[in-house]
Amino acid sequence: EVHLLESGGGLVQPGGSLRLSCAASGLTFSSCGMSWVRQAPGKGLEWVSAVSESGAYTYYADSVKGRFTISRDNSKDTLYLQMHSLRVEDTAVYYCARDLLSATVHWGQGALVTVSS
Amino acid sequence: QSVLTQPPSASGTPGQGVTISCSGGYSNIGSHSVIWFQQLPGTAPKPLIYFNDQRPSGVPDRFSGSKSGTSASLAISGLQSDDEADYYCATWDVSLNGVVFGGGTKLTVL
């Protein structure tokens, strides 16, 4: 069974940094494109970033470009999201997802990031 | 303001049918297939339809999807109370070089 487990969420002050991790199991991680999607409290889904199977290609939403970095370690079956210069509006549940737009899509349960002073 | 436009709400009575629309443009729906997600309160989204009209195993055939030009639709027949959820469409946008979501539609079963 596919399992994606996010960790690293928490409370951080505006301007601070945080790194999210997503540990994958039950799948061939190195064959999956991976994404981060977030959902602010009471709001809709917002795509944040994606990375290709090998990690060679990365994609970002304009709202996080230059502040967030997506990466992966295929030897550890783990996806990362390094977040810098965090803003109040980055407060959200962050989900990692496998193959977001395809038949094999699978989501983690999410990690809450709260940016507040 | 979402790139893909969905009605913010929809409703129907048990047993009725409802259709949720998702409107985009040539750079997104016009160029790529659409996926639909169902999100129950407090849970992660669940895929309902992929590649415009395909159902994952386990999704009832009461749910169906279609696409025409730059718009897509999700149809739900025989509404049940546990269909009450938020529904989102998504696809790739070649101009933005990223994934775009609709703003979501909250379905109420009266």
Side-chain angles (χ1 to χ4, degrees):
Chain A
E1 182 185 355
V2 174
H3 197 58
L4 299 173
L5 182 62
E6 301 93 338
S7 61
L11 175 64
V12 61
Q13 292 189 337
S17 298
L18 210 57
R19 188 178 83 156
L20 299 180
S21 299
C22 171
S25 60
L27 72 164
T28 305
F29 183 72
S30 59
S31 299
C32 302
M34 298 295 295
S35 296
W36 289 99
V37 178
R38 69 185 180 183
Q39 187 169 35
K43 302 296 184 182
L45 301 172
E46 180 190 14
W47 173 78
V48 172
S49 183
V51 61
S52 62
E53 293 86 338
S54 68
Y57 300 99
T58 57
Y59 310 87
Y60 298 94
D62 286 345
S63 57
V64 306
K65 203 170 292 183
R67 300 187 300 124
F68 290 11
T69 301
I70 191 171
S71 63
R72 63 191 298 161
D73 186 337
N74 286 347
S75 69
K76 296 181 178 179
D77 292 347
T78 302
L79 175 73
Y80 302 101
L81 186 68
Q82 179 68 55
M83 304 182 289
H84 293 297
S85 304
L86 282 161
R87 305 167 180 168
V88 170
E89 55 266 34
D90 294 319
T91 295
V93 173
Y94 284 72
Y95 296 99
C96 67
R98 157 207 181 177
D99 298 332
L100 182 58
L101 300 178
S102 77
T104 51
V105 59
H106 191 91
W107 296 63
Q109 289 307 300
L112 177 62
V113 172
T114 303
V115 185
S116 173
S117 54
Chain B
Q1 193 85 352
S2 302
V3 173
L4 304 182
T5 301
Q6 297 180 234
S9 63
S11 63
T13 57
Q16 271 190 335
V18 67
T19 299
I20 297 171
S21 62
C22 175
S23 177
Y26 294 108
S27 64
N28 41 70
I29 295 178
S31 305
H32 285 272
S33 61
V34 174
I35 190 165
W36 289 90
F37 296 103
Q38 177 193 60
Q39 187 178 35
L40 298 170
T43 68
K46 164 192 166 184
L48 275 183
I49 297 289
Y50 65 94
F51 294 164
N52 304 323
D53 57 9
Q54 302 298 302
R55 271 188 313 275
S57 59
V59 173
D61 59 6
R62 301 188 297 106
F63 295 90
S64 62
S66 64
K67 173 184 145 177
S68 178
T70 59
S71 293
S73 294
L74 172 70
I76 310 172
S77 62
L79 275 173
Q80 300 178 1
S81 58
D82 55 4
D83 294 335
E84 278 209 345
D86 294 323
Y87 294 84
Y88 295 90
C89 59
T91 187
W92 184 262
D93 190 297
V94 298
S95 296
L96 297 175
N97 209 23
V99 175
V100 289
F101 280 93
T105 299
K106 184 176 186 62
L107 175 64
T108 301
V109 181
L110 302 168

